[in-house]
């Protein structure tokens, strides 16, 4: 399953990175603080571990793969945006 989805996964990762870059360029104080406050609701820790174990064994169904990949992409996007928000809010030195 993993190898047949590889090209699509790479393309979707590029799109997520591009989206994060574009959104990161639109930050202001309010939006940066709002992004830092975001929490991603998703599968429980137990469910994520179950999906990770099945992924490592190559046993994910198509639906499970989609669930696992979507959560990973959203988590990655949020991490990049929060990093950009922290950088935006970081003091730039003495005035």
């Amino acid at each position: 399953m993993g190898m047949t989805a590889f090209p699509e996964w790479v393309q979707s990762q590029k799109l997520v990175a591009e989206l994060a870059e574009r959104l990161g360029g639109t930050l202001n104080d309010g939006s940066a603080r709002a992004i830092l406050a975001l929490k991603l609701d998703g599968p429980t820790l137990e469910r994520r571990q179950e999906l990770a174990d099945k992924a490592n064994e190559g046993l994910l169904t198509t639906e499970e793969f989609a669930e696992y990949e979507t959560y990973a992409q959203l988590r990655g996007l949020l991490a990049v945006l929060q990093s950009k928000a922290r950088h935006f809010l970081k003091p730039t030195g003495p005035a």
Side-chain angles (χ1 to χ4, degrees):
M1 156 122 247
M3 292 309 288
T4 60
F6 184 73
E8 291 84 5
W9 183 84
V10 170
Q11 182 61 30
S12 66
Q13 291 299 308
K14 288 179 183 177
L15 292 172
V16 167
E18 182 180 321
L19 178 60
E21 192 62 36
R22 288 184 181 186
L23 289 173
T26 66
L27 293 175
N28 59 40
D29 280 356
S31 63
R33 293 181 196 290
I35 287 170
L36 289 174
L38 287 174
K39 302 287 184 233
L40 182 61
D41 290 332
T44 63
L45 178 59
E46 294 80 15
R47 176 65 175 159
R48 290 192 314 262
Q49 187 61 54
E50 174 188 356
L51 292 171
D53 291 343
K54 289 177 87 172
N56 289 337
E57 297 168 8
L59 300 175
L60 287 175
T61 65
T62 302
E63 292 81 16
E64 290 170 329
F65 179 78
E67 177 185 359
Y68 191 59
E69 180 180 26
T70 299
Y71 181 74
Q73 288 178 349
L74 290 175
R75 211 172 138 178
L77 175 61
L78 183 57
V80 170
L81 288 175
Q82 287 179 332
S83 175
K84 290 183 175 296
R86 282 189 294 277
H87 181 73
F88 179 85
L89 294 171
K90 182 179 169 183
T92 57

